[in-house]
Amino acid sequence: MASGHAYTGNPKRTARYYLNGVADELTSENIPLLITLESSFERVLIARLAETAQIPGSPGTFEYMLNSWRSVSNVVGNLTGARGRALDPAVRGARVSALQGAQALLVSYMGLSLQFPDMVVPAIGRPGQKILSGVALPQGLLDQIIKRFANDGLPEVLAPVFAELGLRTIDSGSAGGAGCLRGYLRGHPADADVRPRGLQRAANADRHSARSRSCRLSAFPTSNPEIISNYYADAPERNREERNALHSSIRSTVQYVQGALFDVFYKLVARSGVPARTATIQYTLRTLATNALRSGMHVDRDKVVDNGFADNLASIWLRLSEPFTRDPQLKKLDRVDADWISLRATRSSETMPAGLDDAQSHIGTYWRELTRLHADQSAADAYLQRRQQETEGLGDKQMPGFIADCFFATADALHLGPISILSQYKDILSKLSRFRGEVERIERMPELLPPEQRASLPLAMQRWKEQLKGMKREKIAMDAQVLDPRRLNSMVIFYRFAMAFLLRQVDANGQYPHRPFAMPTDEGEASVPEAWRMLPEFLAGGPDRIHRVHRHVGVGELRTFDDIIPLFLITFLARPAYIKNPYLKAKAGGCPAYADQVYQFRDILDSNRFAKAYLVPALLRFYVDIEQTGASSQFYDKFNIRYYIARTLRSLWSRGRSHVVATKQFFSQSHRESSTAATTGSTYRDQQVIEQFVAASDDRHNVSPRRVSEQAGRISASSRSSQPSQQQPGAGEDEAGDRAQRLQDAERIARSYVSLAHETVPRPFQAGEVVDRLAAMLNYNLDQLAGPKCSNLRVRDMQQRFSFNPRVLLSELTSVYIHLGLPRQSDGSDDAMTDAEDQQAIDRFVTAVVEDDRSYSVELFQKAYGILERISLKSPESLARLLEFAENCKQAKVDSHAIEFLEDEAPDAYLDPVLASLITDPVRLPTSDTIMDLASIKGQLLSDPRDPFNRSPLTVDMLEPMPELKEEIRRWREAKLKEYYASK
């Protein structure tokens, strides 16, 4: 025993430390100097610990006892092993018993040294580091500590260990820390402190209890920047294979830690009774409720839990939900109650046994104030109050169970955890790309810098490249945990289940997926179920979140999908009234283009019966509805989404005849029905789609030359003075950063506009309310490309940097004039318009072109013809048709003086109050009792469905025709024109 502890009471044993004071005391008391457990071991141990600080090079008290425990364990192992078999069993048993008693005494003092580090001598360093140090913890020591202090202050003994966990990220001690927590809670889940007392601030939610501190362990550099210097210092210089090997090592450690945390939560919810399960669910919901700010765009990270805590909490609940989310048949889907918020989350646990809301109402307030799919706050409050009154007498067995609790907790944990982290990751990629572009541009074109700064360019460039390497290290470090395929695959599986849950809520039969899905009725907002309206909005973000996942990870690394995701997209594109938020609709609108690029989705889009019946009409309607997205960037977003919708349609048309037939049937049927007087309901909406599809397509086509000319001016102004930020304090840094940001934004927007400009304007039916705007936009663009200001579009390297070629754009623009202003050449199709209908559309367009006094001129078309002929971008036949169109315009030119004469002579009742032009088709606005021209008010309603005079809601089907006034104006016009021409 003395050899195990390296001390002695015999001064002749020079190889061990001589305890002079203890030897004198034992001698004076006539106690033998031979150390025994019963008489002297504890006294010797205390004396040895007291003299630790006086021994040069001696380890600390905890380390000394740890080494002693290890030495004693080795001796016990020898005695119980092969080397001890030669001893008499009684002797061997006595020795083992004595040594195990010494171990127990050491364990007691080790626990006390953790709890009271300065008990014997002043401690050096943090006591929690002893267990979480790089030295492996001896096997069985933790179990002995837990067993010894199970009923004697175990939380206080291990508190330093958990405090140390709160200061760490993934490292060599993480496995020991996770094992410490697992062992601590293995048999004592009630001591988990699942309801940490004194939790006042969300920022402290990850630092209170033992379990919360352990949940902070992660590989995110945003939680602990040391992970970059420890593991990724040379990551930018490594090849992909070396990075993947490093990522695999980090991910394995993260998975072990998350597995240990899962074991803890699993024992609490599955093996510890109803009170522990309820407390665990409340702990999770309270933590999420007090960290709702994590879902915001600009988050103060000091006021919320860090990424490691949020991600680990989400991973725990993802694994808890796997038994029902990974089931291919989704047999437990009907166990998720859509009324969970009213039945569980907003009911007080103190007054109702089935409630989950806490005493501070953190949980209830959070779920009560969440944004709903189709209800405002007042409607949601009224619904919750009514449902609670209706279900007040329900028993516990009639309330939603653990599956519903787990589903909603997991959905919220993903929303505030991994999805928020993906947004941060996207910001890191954006900043890295922008800064790298700045550095490369300055290195390629140093003349952009002022002369006085070029002398210091080498030093500045070196500094910028070092900063760029630092940003790359952070990005690569984030890759380890953010892009873990196992983690992302679990998220996709859960969102598949969530989308199936939402589809069940709108299924016409309410039996999906146990019976085939039935498309809900299309009766507008009146058909939206009340329970659906009250669901949290973040539940419907599944397609966009899967899109985010696939954007960062190869599709081949994730599981193959069934038809739930395409069915979800088709359903809510075809029934847009079910989702109120235009921004959420806009997100869903971009997903079909991505789905069409993934071969698993593409096959489903070609074979699914709902895709054949609803996809094309839904995309065409959504093409128009996306006019407003609800975001600050909606002016640009609508063009991008329409671009992707056009790509999707072209891809569908190229792969199958059925989608082409569906498109033609949609337009032809809508045109026939719109010719009747009954233009209400879906028929009226389809008519709007046709009308607005032309305007929206033209808006998309119009944007490029005009907007690119604006951006070209900004690029020219910014590029003369732009340079990368030198990261120096002062106003100069902010100014340089602002210039660089403006230049990057201008280039990005210009590239987007150019790509949009190369889309072809389709030729559905031209309605009178949009043709004037269409012609004016085309004329303005033609003036920009071929008029006096065409030289302003020149930007350095515009072909390489922006894919912008004004000559090609001019050729395509003139093709639009030919396409819309001349009879179509016969292609043998059966669905072409009749000659009369075709000529009416052509006449409307030609008249609209020549009546545009702002941009139209005969010389403009002549100059465009000359440019195209000189550069040989169009065939002789196309040039001849362009001349034919220009000649038709000359012949159709209306005497502008006659128009001015009519407008000057017309009484106010005959003039449109908005455009001050002569009314040709008068209608009355019932909301303001105002008379306007039909084309004028329709044009207004395309972009704003409200009365322009009092802002009341107004739709085209509410307009009241005035045939008597129309005939009166026609007779007056004919009489005045005769009078005018007679005077000439």
Side-chain angles (χ1 to χ4, degrees):
M1 187 177 293
S3 65
H5 300 283
Y7 52 69
T8 181
N10 186 352
K12 297 181 179 180
R13 301 293 297 272
T14 57
R16 303 176 187 169
Y17 185 76
Y18 175 55
L19 297 174
N20 184 30
V22 177
D24 294 342
E25 290 179 6
L26 293 177
T27 301
S28 64
E29 297 175 12
N30 296 322
I31 299 176
L33 294 181
L34 180 65
I35 302 173
T36 63
L37 183 64
E38 296 80 5
S39 62
S40 57
F41 177 73
E42 186 171 4
R43 294 172 65 177
V44 171
L45 176 61
I46 294 174
R48 176 63 177 82
L49 294 178
E51 297 189 15
T52 297
Q54 304 175 12
I55 304 175
S58 175
T61 57
F62 184 89
E63 290 88 340
Y64 171 77
M65 289 186 288
L66 180 61
N67 293 333
S68 299
W69 188 95
R70 185 181 288 110
S71 298
V72 173
S73 296
N74 291 335
V75 176
V76 172
N78 292 334
L79 289 173
T80 57
R83 297 177 63 180
R85 293 175 184 172
L87 295 176
D88 181 83
V91 174
R92 185 174 67 241
R95 293 182 179 180
V96 170
S97 177
L99 291 173
Q100 288 178 343
Q103 276 187 322
L105 192 60
L106 284 170
V107 167
S108 296
Y109 276 89
M110 290 170 69
L112 292 174
S113 72
L114 284 173
Q115 189 174 359
F116 307 104
D118 300 328
M119 178 182 66
V120 182
V121 294
I124 301 176
R126 299 189 301 270
Q129 287 179 312
K130 317 305 180 183
I131 290 183
L132 299 184
S133 63
V135 180
L137 200 67
Q139 181 68 32
L141 175 58
L142 178 62
D143 291 337
Q144 291 188 20
I145 292 176
I146 293 174
K147 183 178 180 180
R148 162 64 180 81
F149 292 96
N151 299 314
D152 191 16
L154 181 60
E156 290 76 13
V157 171
L158 293 184
V161 180
F162 300 131
E164 183 68 19
L165 281 174
L167 301 174
R168 286 176 174 259
T169 182
I170 292 295
D171 58 16
S172 58
S174 300
C180 181
L181 178 71
R182 176 185 287 176
Y184 165 46
L185 296 176
R186 180 181 300 155
H188 306 83
D191 296 331
D193 193 15
V194 294
R195 301 179 67 177
R197 297 173 178 84
L199 179 59
Q200 300 296 331
R201 293 189 302 161
N204 294 333
D206 53 348
R207 301 183 180 95
H208 271 74
S209 66
R211 179 174 58 182
S212 295
R213 294 188 183 101
S214 302
C215 281
R216 297 185 68 207
L217 287 169
S218 74
F220 291 112
T222 52
S223 299
N224 191 342
E226 291 181 4
I227 196 170
I228 299 178
S229 58
N230 293 342
Y231 296 96
Y232 294 98
D234 59 346
E237 290 76 27
R238 296 191 180 193
N239 56 39
R240 175 171 295 183
E241 289 74 16
E242 293 175 336
R243 293 180 189 173
N244 289 338
L246 184 57
H247 290 339
S248 298
S249 175
I250 295 292
R251 288 166 182 169
S252 298
T253 308
V254 171
Q255 290 170 13
Y256 177 83
V257 172
Q258 291 181 345
L261 296 172
F262 167 76
D263 288 345
V264 172
F265 275 72
Y266 178 75
K267 293 180 185 301
L268 289 169
V269 301
R271 303 291 178 85
S272 304
V274 174
R277 178 170 65 244
T278 302
T280 303
I281 296 172
Q282 286 182 310
Y283 166 80
T284 301
L285 295 178
R286 182 188 302 106
T287 302
L288 295 172
T290 53
N291 287 275
L293 293 176
R294 280 188 58 87
S295 62
M297 296 182 62
H298 304 287
V299 182
D300 185 350
R301 299 299 166 187
D302 293 332
K303 295 183 178 179
V304 294
V305 295
D306 65 6
N307 287 338
F309 183 95
D311 188 75
N312 288 336
L313 191 63
S315 72
I316 292 167
W317 285 94
L318 272 176
R319 288 193 60 182
L320 289 172
S321 67
E322 284 180 355
F324 58 89
T325 58
R326 286 184 176 269
D327 178 17
Q329 284 77 38
L330 304 178
K331 297 177 182 178
K332 301 293 182 65
L333 187 62
D334 54 353
R335 303 280 291 276
V336 181
D337 196 327
D339 269 341
W340 177 86
I341 295 177
S342 63
L343 297 177
R344 292 277 281 169
T346 57
R347 289 176 181 255
S348 174
S349 59
E350 298 182 355
T351 58
M352 300 181 183
L356 291 175
D357 193 13
D358 55 3
Q360 292 79 24
S361 298
H362 289 144
I363 300 172
T365 301
Y366 170 73
W367 287 94
R368 191 176 293 109
E369 295 178 355
L370 278 176
T371 304
R372 312 291 171 157
L373 280 173
H374 208 295
D376 55 21
Q377 188 62 51
S378 59
D381 291 341
Y383 175 81
L384 290 175
Q385 183 178 2
R386 177 169 58 82
R387 287 295 296 156
Q388 289 181 358
Q389 293 175 353
E390 293 173 352
T391 58
E392 187 173 357
L394 294 180
D396 290 349
K397 294 184 178 180
Q398 297 173 291
M399 291 293 182
F402 176 73
I403 291 180
D405 297 340
C406 185
F407 171 77
F408 283 96
T410 306
D412 197 24
L414 287 175
H415 173 60
L416 299 177
I419 299 304
S420 175
I421 295 170
L422 277 177
S423 298
Q424 298 175 36
Y425 183 73
K426 179 183 177 182
D427 293 339
I428 291 175
L429 294 180
S430 177
K431 293 177 182 178
L432 176 61
S433 175
R434 183 167 60 249
F435 190 79
R436 180 170 51 219
E438 294 174 2
V439 174
E440 291 175 353
R441 185 176 64 257
I442 293 298
E443 189 175 28
R444 185 176 63 252
M445 296 180 293
E447 63 273 13
L448 294 177
L449 288 174
E452 61 272 12
Q453 295 184 8
R454 294 177 193 171
S456 60
L457 181 60
L459 292 177
M461 188 61 65
Q462 183 179 359
R463 184 167 62 253
W464 293 334
K465 289 186 177 180
E466 285 300 321
Q467 185 179 350
L468 185 61
K469 284 185 179 180
M471 298 173 69
K472 288 181 179 178
R473 293 189 191 100
E474 181 184 6
K475 182 264 178 188
I476 296 171
M478 288 283 288
D479 290 346
Q481 194 161 345
V482 172
L483 303 186
D484 183 0
R486 176 179 172 273
R487 167 181 176 271
L488 297 177
N489 187 59
S490 298
M491 292 169 54
V492 171
I493 292 173
F494 178 83
Y495 282 121
R496 169 184 175 270
F497 183 91
M499 285 185 283
F501 166 74
L502 294 176
L503 286 172
R504 180 182 179 88
Q505 308 310 310
V506 301
D507 178 22
N509 300 321
Q511 299 295 320
Y512 182 82
H514 308 309
R515 290 180 57 187
F517 181 77
M519 186 67 71
T521 59
D522 186 15
E523 299 177 359
E525 296 187 3
S527 61
V528 180
E530 189 176 26
W532 166 270
R533 295 172 182 266
M534 303 303 160
L535 289 173
E537 193 177 76
F538 63 75
L539 286 178
D544 175 61
R545 288 161 182 176
I546 293 175
H547 184 189
R548 292 195 206 181
V549 169
H550 282 200
R551 193 163 48 200
H552 299 301
V553 180
V555 177
E557 298 185 60
L558 300 175
R559 71 188 296 274
T560 303
F561 301 96
D562 51 23
D563 62 347
I564 289 180
I565 299 174
L567 178 60
F568 184 89
L569 287 173
I570 294 168
T571 299
F572 293 104
L573 286 175
R575 301 293 183 262
Y578 280 74
I579 298 178
K580 187 176 182 180
N581 188 345
Y583 182 74
L584 192 59
K585 293 181 183 180
K587 288 292 186 181
C591 292
Y594 172 77
D596 189 66
Q597 300 172 17
V598 181
Y599 67 91
Q600 295 103 321
F601 287 131
R602 188 185 304 130
D603 294 341
I604 295 173
L605 292 179
D606 291 339
S607 59
N608 186 279
R609 62 187 181 94
F610 289 102
K612 293 180 179 179
Y614 296 101
L615 183 56
V616 170
L619 288 174
L620 291 173
R621 289 168 181 154
F622 191 76
Y623 193 99
V624 175
D625 294 340
I626 203 57
E627 184 71 25
Q628 297 177 349
T629 66
S632 60
S633 58
Q634 67 178 5
F635 179 81
Y636 310 112
D637 293 342
K638 63 181 180 181
F639 297 118
N640 293 329
I641 295 172
R642 284 168 176 161
Y643 166 75
Y644 288 120
I645 292 177
R647 284 180 52 187
T648 306
L649 289 171
R650 283 201 307 275
S651 177
L652 293 172
W653 293 332
S654 66
R655 292 202 313 270
R657 178 67 181 171
S658 61
H659 297 298
V660 178
V661 172
T663 305
K664 293 180 178 180
Q665 288 178 346
F666 174 78
F667 280 117
S668 61
Q669 178 182 1
S670 300
H671 175 67
R672 288 194 302 269
E673 293 176 348
S674 64
S675 300
T676 66
T679 57
T680 58
S682 60
T683 304
Y684 162 67
R685 185 178 62 187
D686 294 346
Q687 181 192 13
Q688 280 189 306
V689 169
I690 293 176
E691 299 165 348
Q692 297 181 43
F693 194 75
V694 178
S697 301
D698 169 73
D699 215 14
R700 174 165 48 85
H701 200 306
N702 167 73
V703 73
S704 289
R706 175 166 56 91
R707 294 293 178 181
V708 169
S709 64
E710 296 175 2
Q711 298 303 325
R714 296 181 183 178
I715 292 172
S716 300
S718 298
S719 61
R720 286 193 293 268
S721 57
S722 177
Q723 66 182 74
S725 172
Q726 300 185 27
Q727 300 302 315
Q728 298 176 351
E733 173 192 347
D734 297 336
E735 185 178 354
D738 291 342
R739 287 197 301 266
Q741 181 65 48
R742 288 195 300 269
L743 177 59
Q744 288 290 318
D745 292 343
E747 290 186 357
R748 174 182 58 82
I749 295 170
R751 282 193 296 269
S752 175
Y753 285 157
V754 172
S755 63
L756 293 174
H758 287 279
E759 295 300 308
T760 303
V761 175
R763 172 76 180 275
F765 307 107
Q766 296 184 25
E769 60 270 22
V770 297
V771 69
D772 291 334
R773 298 167 62 185
L774 175 66
M777 292 174 181
L778 290 173
N779 290 343
Y780 181 88
N781 291 336
L782 184 63
D783 184 52
Q784 294 293 314
L785 292 170
K789 299 181 180 180
C790 62
S791 59
N792 293 343
L793 295 176
R794 293 182 181 178
V795 178
R796 179 185 301 188
D797 300 330
M798 59 185 178
Q799 179 64 37
Q800 292 76 17
R801 295 166 66 186
F802 311 111
S803 301
F804 178 44
N805 191 328
R807 295 176 177 179
V808 174
L809 193 58
L810 175 63
S811 175
E812 295 182 352
L813 188 64
T814 53
S815 296
V816 177
Y817 282 105
I818 296 172
H819 178 62
L820 298 177
L822 291 176
R824 286 179 290 174
Q825 296 176 335
S826 176
D827 58 359
S829 62
D830 298 331
D831 58 339
M833 288 192 303
T834 63
D835 291 342
E837 293 172 336
D838 197 6
Q839 193 58 49
Q840 289 177 3
I842 292 173
D843 292 342
R844 276 199 305 270
F845 177 71
V846 171
T847 301
V849 168
V850 299
E851 288 184 350
D852 176 29
D853 294 332
R854 180 183 63 169
S855 304
Y856 171 76
S857 68
V858 177
E859 294 76 14
L860 185 61
F861 280 91
Q862 292 174 348
K863 187 172 181 180
Y865 175 87
I867 294 174
L868 295 173
E869 185 181 35
R870 184 174 68 254
I871 60 180
S872 301
L873 272 180
K874 299 188 81 67
S875 65
E877 293 79 8
S878 297
L879 288 173
R881 286 176 63 80
L882 179 60
L883 282 180
E884 180 183 356
F885 173 76
E887 185 62 28
N888 291 346
C889 289
K890 289 174 61 177
Q891 296 177 2
K893 178 65 176 175
V894 178
D895 189 345
S896 60
H897 295 290
I899 298 178
E900 293 177 1
F901 172 77
L902 290 174
E903 293 176 349
D904 290 341
E905 295 291 324
D908 291 342
Y910 292 176
L911 294 177
D912 183 84
V914 174
L915 301 179
S917 58
L918 186 65
I919 295 175
T920 58
D921 191 357
V923 292
R924 192 180 74 85
L925 281 56
T927 50
S928 61
D929 197 27
T930 306
I931 297 176
M932 291 185 64
D933 189 71
L934 178 61
S936 174
I937 185 57
K938 277 189 174 182
Q940 294 282 330
L941 296 178
L942 289 180
S943 56
D944 188 1
R946 289 178 292 185
D947 191 315
F949 298 98
N950 59 13
R951 316 305 294 164
S952 300
L954 180 64
T955 58
V956 177
D957 58 326
M958 297 169 60
L959 302 177
E960 300 175 1
M962 305 189 69
E964 296 83 1
L965 180 60
K966 180 178 180 179
E967 179 62 22
E968 179 183 336
I969 294 175
R970 186 191 65 79
R971 291 196 302 266
W972 178 89
R973 174 188 174 93
E974 292 179 354
K976 283 296 180 179
L977 283 178
K978 290 181 180 179
E979 177 184 338
Y980 173 78
Y981 288 118
S983 64
K984 295 294 181 180

